[in-house]
Amino acid sequence: MPPRRPESGMKRVSGTLSRYSVLSSGRHSAVLPSVLTFAVIVASGGLLLLIEKGMLNRVDTPSPLANGRGPDFYTNRQEPAVDVESQFLQEIRNSTIRAMCSQRNSPLTPLQRKTLLQHILVNDEHRFLYCYVPKVACSNWKRVLKVLNGALSHMDVKGRMDHHADLVFLSDFSAEEIRHRLQHYFKFMFVREPMARLLSAYRNKFGEIEAYQRKYGAEIVRRYRKGHTKGGKKIAGDDVTFTEFVRYLLDEDAERMNEHWMPIHNLCQPCVMEYNFIGSYERLESDAAYVLERVGAPSHVHFPERQTWYKPVTKETLHYYLCSVPQKLLRDLLQKYILDFSFFGYSLPNITTEYCRQ
């Protein structure tokens, strides 16, 4: 594992991102698409699927590192098979991202650049970059990386996950080292239906994590609970309602949010990072298996199964929570996360009054 460099990467990263073609293509300023625009983009994506050939942008550059493997190890490795549904989804997402990003013409701000680099994990031996998104199986992906780099002996090691120890971030490197990895490594990320991700974060952080209840929950209650009097008894923050959480999200700057509810596109910037593969939480088992095969992970490294205590967000559960929120707030919430729906091909949920009465 290369030594971590917590300062050098961030000091010189501005120059790197302006020189490297993928990150200097100038396609990031927020342009909120109308519903009609989104429909046209998705329709055009389906048409492009019929006329375009191939599935992914392959990374065939020989390994830049002296890791004991010759150039032919990567360039001659057979591409894993992908099912038709996954291929269709990749083409739709790629076409949609290209179409939407072509309208954006501003470079990343320093804050956006910092957020991106701090969310990209690096594995040099297998030459890949993974942009992690909280509440999209990122803990299990971090476990995979720790097994690959030898920090964990096997996938089933029990214990609390340390989300920073024994992991290498792209922000740890110098500008030239960042540029090199961006050009030559396989890049992937995983996404999830935006409202299901938010609900998962809400139930986990405010229902189970005391630190979040104290830091965020108490503040949300103070700001949004009717009848709350300042200077009263200490607020535990463990009873935040979903509507109060939504009001809080609507008042927050998306680029300064906590990572667990920051929009996915703000975390991973698909307009400046040309991802080779964008996996789906809804297809986690098969998509994760594809990525592990694609990067040449050893056969004993498999993607972990969900924990027994895992609480899935079912359609019924999501329907219940969304319909508990006033219609005006819900429409504003969908607008705030509209780019996540648009970029990654998720349908907007049905929030009509008639549907919510069911």
Side-chain angles (χ1 to χ4, degrees), residues 50-290:
L50 300 179
I51 62 177
E52 289 181 358
K53 191 174 183 180
M55 182 192 68
L56 299 173
N57 296 322
R58 302 186 181 182
V59 180
D60 294 333
T61 307
S63 171
L65 300 177
N67 55 15
R69 293 170 172 170
D72 291 344
F73 177 84
Y74 294 99
T75 57
N76 295 339
R77 185 165 57 200
Q78 185 177 1
E79 188 77 13
V82 180
D83 60 76
V84 174
E85 181 181 350
S86 180
Q87 179 176 346
F88 179 84
L89 185 56
Q90 290 301 310
E91 289 292 347
I92 288 292
R93 282 176 175 161
N94 290 339
S95 300
T96 302
I97 289 172
R98 284 196 299 268
M100 293 180 62
C101 293
S102 66
Q103 307 175 37
R104 316 174 84 174
N105 54 14
S106 299
L108 293 182
T109 67
L111 177 59
Q112 291 170 332
R113 188 181 302 111
K114 178 180 179 181
T115 298
L116 174 62
L117 294 179
Q118 291 180 342
H119 281 82
I120 296 179
L121 293 167
V122 181
N123 182 282
D124 282 325
E125 180 180 359
H126 297 279
R127 298 174 69 248
F128 69 77
L129 304 177
Y130 160 55
C131 185
Y132 79 88
V133 178
K135 309 313 298 180
V136 190
C138 76
S139 294
N140 277 342
W141 272 115
K142 289 176 180 178
R143 186 179 297 274
V144 168
L145 267 76
K146 291 188 179 191
V147 171
L148 289 176
N149 67 25
L152 292 179
S153 59
H154 57 85
M155 298 302 304
D156 301 320
V157 173
K158 305 298 181 182
R160 184 177 179 181
M161 168 61 67
D162 188 318
H163 288 270
H164 292 89
D166 302 312
L167 294 169
V168 181
F169 296 81
L170 197 57
S171 58
D172 295 338
F173 295 93
S174 69
E176 181 59 24
E177 290 171 328
I178 290 173
R179 183 197 64 80
H180 201 95
R181 285 161 177 78
L182 288 171
Q183 287 181 323
H184 298 305
Y185 283 19
F186 179 79
K187 299 177 284 292
F188 73 94
M189 62 180 290
F190 273 72
V191 297
R192 184 179 186 178
E193 198 281 334
M195 294 298 102
R197 175 175 171 253
L198 280 185
L199 180 55
S200 178
Y202 163 78
R203 296 205 302 175
N204 173 239
K205 300 308 176 186
F206 298 110
E208 303 172 8
I209 312 299
E210 186 177 346
Y212 274 76
Q213 294 168 359
R214 292 196 305 266
K215 181 175 181 178
Y216 296 99
E219 179 62 22
I220 290 173
V221 170
R222 278 191 289 268
R223 286 165 59 176
Y224 301 104
R225 182 160 299 174
K226 293 182 179 180
H228 170 72
T229 56
K230 295 182 178 180
K233 64 179 182 179
K234 185 178 180 180
I235 302 172
D238 59 353
D239 61 346
V240 174
T241 68
F242 191 62
T243 296
E244 291 169 341
F245 179 54
V246 169
R247 292 183 184 278
Y248 165 75
L249 293 176
L250 293 177
D251 285 343
E252 288 294 290
D253 180 352
E255 295 183 1
R256 299 179 182 277
M257 283 181 172
N258 179 279
E259 63 176 6
H260 290 86
W261 41 82
M262 182 181 287
I264 297 173
H265 73 275
N266 287 98
L267 292 169
C268 294
Q269 297 293 345
C271 279
V272 296
M273 282 287 291
E274 294 181 356
Y275 291 97
N276 301 98
F277 188 79
I278 300 178
S280 302
Y281 185 84
E282 297 78 12
R283 295 174 45 85
L284 183 59
E285 183 177 353
S286 60
D287 283 358
Y290 167 80

